[in-house]
Amino acid sequence: VNFLAMANVNLQVVTEADKFAISSIGVFTNKVKLDYDEAPHNYSVEISISDGATTDIAVVEVQVTDINDNSPVFASDPTTKSVPEDIEVGSNVTVVPATDKDSGFNKEIRYSLRGGDGTFFIDPVSGMVRVAGELDRETKAEYNVQVVAKDRGRPARSSTATLLVQVSDINDNVPKFSESEYKVEVLEIESVGTSVLSLSAADPDEGANGKVTYSIFQQSPSSDPAVFDLDSSSGTLRLAQPLDYNGVKVYSLMVQASDGGTPSLVGNSSVVVKVMDVNNNPPEFSKESYDVSVFESLASGAPFLTLEVTDSDE
């Protein structure tokens, strides 16, 4: 402000002298930066003029107007949030709020997202992040999303915060054996405790949900005690009783792999064990001794006895 000053007069700021000044020729200026966001928006500044004999007072009303000089500020950055992989589409994940010290349009914030593969969306006014697509931890366990807060000033100012969404596991996968049916051949002379076969089942779930326990739930033909034992942890199938080819030539086992989830999920497979013959039985005559009567006139080379011999091996 420029005040017309007369000669031989004294101009002086009476109030708010730490913030405003007036020159001898009547130029009214601010001495410090006026901050609309941190200081008063209005000042009533008294100035005096004196010729040495008389004094007059005037008041200058100063109104500070806002400019868009502040960017939005997030309450926290980064933000980490965990959600279960079976969360419904449209469910809330978290709100990522930001504030702006400016006023009016300069402080109005609109939100948007970058990244996330289209799996999430954000309410542009509230900043609430929601699920836009189905999640599967076994496919992708976490998402790194950039939240953008942009004010409506001219020109607009913006800030970015990181939202890390971690997908927690649920027991949604059934253990799966490497084979739908296993086949193995075992010599009948193998000793008890011999490892016959190693079974393997995989469960892509995490922790207890992915821990597999093995068991046999059916043996055909059945026996008591059972002929086979399956290690619950390793899946190793071993002989628990001697084999006898002449007794049973083929065993069929139904096996299962159970995970540690609640409730537990179970996968099934089958094992066919073929007992292989070993030459462990001698040939046997049908009789220990034979009594035969022949005519003395029997021609040379004529048959007079048939010996029956059997061998229980294959």
Side-chain angles (χ1 to χ4, degrees):
V1 180
N2 191 352
F3 294 91
L4 179 61
M6 300 174 61
N8 300 319
V9 297
N10 179 36
L11 289 168
Q12 183 176 344
V13 174
V14 178
T15 60
E16 306 290 354
D18 58 329
K19 297 180 177 64
F20 301 95
I22 189 167
S23 70
S24 60
I25 60 173
V27 178
F28 185 71
T29 60
N30 57 301
K31 296 168 65 177
V32 296
K33 181 181 181 297
L34 301 179
D35 190 342
Y36 180 91
D37 311 306
E38 301 291 344
H41 302 165
N42 297 282
Y43 296 90
S44 294
V45 183
E46 292 185 0
I47 58 174
S48 66
I49 185 170
S50 174
D51 59 3
T54 60
T55 299
D56 193 18
I57 299 293
V59 177
V60 179
E61 297 290 345
V62 180
Q63 182 178 13
V64 182
T65 58
D66 183 52
I67 63 170
N68 193 26
D69 59 345
N70 291 282
S71 297
V73 176
F74 284 94
S76 62
D77 181 29
T79 299
T80 301
K81 185 68 176 179
S82 178
V83 296
E85 61 179 319
D86 63 344
I87 189 172
E88 293 184 359
V89 173
S91 297
N92 294 341
V93 176
T94 188
V95 64
V96 186
T99 57
D100 194 314
K101 288 183 178 181
D102 294 317
S103 64
F105 274 88
N106 294 334
K107 72 178 297 181
E108 291 187 15
I109 296 174
R110 294 296 181 265
Y111 298 92
S112 61
L113 291 183
R114 295 175 186 163
D117 304 327
T119 310
F120 305 93
F121 70 95
I122 190 169
D123 186 291
V125 177
S126 69
M128 175 62 74
V129 179
R130 296 185 173 94
V131 179
E134 293 185 354
L135 303 178
D136 181 17
R137 189 203 65 84
E138 289 72 43
T139 301
K140 191 166 185 177
E142 65 180 31
Y143 294 84
N144 200 314
V145 182
Q146 299 298 309
V147 181
V148 180
K150 186 177 183 180
D151 65 31
R152 302 183 71 186
R154 294 291 182 270
R157 299 174 71 99
S158 63
S159 298
T160 303
T162 299
L163 171 62
L164 179 64
V165 181
Q166 297 175 332
V167 183
S168 60
D169 186 57
I170 65 166
N171 193 27
D172 59 345
N173 288 280
V174 176
K176 185 177 181 180
F177 281 96
S178 59
E179 303 287 343
S180 59
E181 182 182 71
Y182 295 86
K183 294 182 179 180
V184 64
E185 296 178 345
V186 184
L187 295 175
E188 63 174 331
I189 60 172
E190 293 289 358
S191 59
V192 172
T194 298
S195 175
V196 173
L197 181 67
S198 289
L199 307 181
S200 176
D203 189 325
D205 289 321
E206 191 176 38
N209 293 338
K211 185 177 181 180
V212 176
T213 300
Y214 301 92
S215 61
I216 301 171
F217 68 90
Q218 183 178 323
Q219 174 190 298
S220 180
S222 61
S223 64
D224 188 16
V227 177
F228 300 93
D229 175 71
L230 183 58
D231 189 288
S232 61
S233 298
S234 67
T236 300
L237 183 67
R238 292 185 173 90
L239 283 178
Q241 300 294 325
L243 299 175
D244 183 7
Y245 175 83
N246 299 318
V248 179
K249 294 179 174 57
V250 178
Y251 288 95
S252 295
L253 307 177
M254 298 301 295
V255 295
Q256 64 183 20
S258 308
D259 63 29
T262 304
S264 178
L265 300 179
V266 178
N268 298 324
S269 183
S270 62
V271 180
V272 177
V273 181
K274 183 178 181 181
V275 182
M276 303 300 293
D277 182 48
V278 174
N279 190 22
N280 59 347
N281 292 288
E284 293 183 356
F285 287 98
S286 60
K287 294 182 179 181
E288 292 185 0
S289 64
Y290 296 85
D291 294 326
V292 181
S293 297
V294 296
F295 293 104
E296 61 179 335
S297 61
L298 184 68
S300 176
F304 63 89
L305 177 65
T306 299
L307 302 179
E308 293 183 1
V309 181
T310 58
D311 190 323
S312 58
D313 292 321
E314 187 176 58

